[in-house]
Amino acid sequence: MPSTSPSRAAKFRDAAFLLPLAGCFLLMPPVIDLFSVKASLFGIPVIVAYIFGLWSALILVAFWFSRRLRDPEPRASVPPDTVSTER
């Protein structure tokens, strides 16, 4: 019986699809309000560190996904059309 589990590439594609949704969720006001405290991290307010840290993490994860989803084989070039429409 053949395996019905999704391939590794399909799993990465699904995770790459969910990345922007996770980013939107993590940037919603209820989640951001968790970081609106009167504290600082190396002199930077925690909320600012959270927003820019999350932004950087989303970019790095998207870059990592783009490397994983790259086509492993170069696509074969399309041969020129041998049928000419001109007479």
Side-chain angles (χ1 to χ4, degrees):
M1 181 171 223
S3 174
T4 59
S5 66
S7 70
R8 190 173 191 160
K11 289 179 183 179
F12 278 116
R13 199 170 33 252
D14 292 342
F17 174 76
L18 292 177
L19 182 66
L21 298 175
C24 287
F25 173 76
L26 292 171
L27 289 171
M28 286 187 161
V31 178
I32 287 182
D33 285 343
L34 296 174
F35 297 95
S36 63
V37 294
K38 294 208 183 262
S40 62
L41 183 66
F42 303 111
I44 301 170
V46 174
I47 192 167
V48 174
Y50 170 75
I51 290 172
F52 281 102
L54 177 65
W55 179 57
S56 300
L58 288 171
I59 290 171
L60 290 174
V61 172
F63 177 75
W64 184 73
F65 278 142
S66 73
R67 295 293 178 186
R68 294 286 180 182
L69 292 173
R70 182 173 288 174
D71 195 10
E73 298 179 12
R75 296 181 185 228
S77 61
V78 178
D81 190 15
T82 56
V83 179
S84 177
T85 57
E86 296 178 18
R87 293 184 191 212

